[in-house]
Amino acid sequence: EDGALMVLDDTERFVSWEDLEAVRWDAARDAVMLVPYGGDAVAVSERFADIGNSELAKRAENIRRRAQFGLFARGRRDRDKTA
């Protein structure tokens, strides 16, 4: 299953792209907001690598949309098993 895996304060949380309605940037908090269908948004305010949270949210939202439309081929590992 594809999605976002977050490790924050020694706690892992996985959210499937299919379970997310949107990924947004909250400018006031400088946080990436993971918005699940019918649930409360999860704010991620930590910074990652050399990317700002606004750009990270934009990229994650693009990935989420593409995943929901089935635009990603299954991983190389899955294709290699059938060869």
Side-chain angles (χ1 to χ4, degrees):
E1 187 171 22
D2 294 324
L5 176 64
M6 299 168 288
V7 180
L8 306 169
D9 299 326
D10 296 327
T11 302
E12 284 189 9
R13 180 168 181 183
F14 177 81
V15 181
S16 169
W17 294 127
E18 294 175 353
D19 295 336
L20 288 176
E21 181 177 354
V23 180
R24 299 185 182 120
W25 177 57
D26 181 332
R29 296 162 68 176
D30 189 26
V32 176
M33 305 299 292
L34 302 173
V35 184
Y37 288 101
D40 294 328
V42 175
V44 180
S45 57
E46 286 77 11
R47 306 273 304 194
F48 299 94
D50 293 329
I51 187 171
N53 284 345
S54 64
E55 181 63 22
L56 179 60
K58 185 188 309 181
R59 290 183 188 184
E61 174 61 10
N62 187 41
I63 292 168
R64 182 201 67 81
R65 284 194 327 263
R66 293 178 69 193
Q68 288 189 338
F69 282 109
L71 297 177
F72 290 118
R74 281 289 169 216
R76 184 175 186 93
R77 292 175 301 211
D78 293 339
R79 288 193 306 268
D80 290 346
K81 288 179 187 176
T82 61

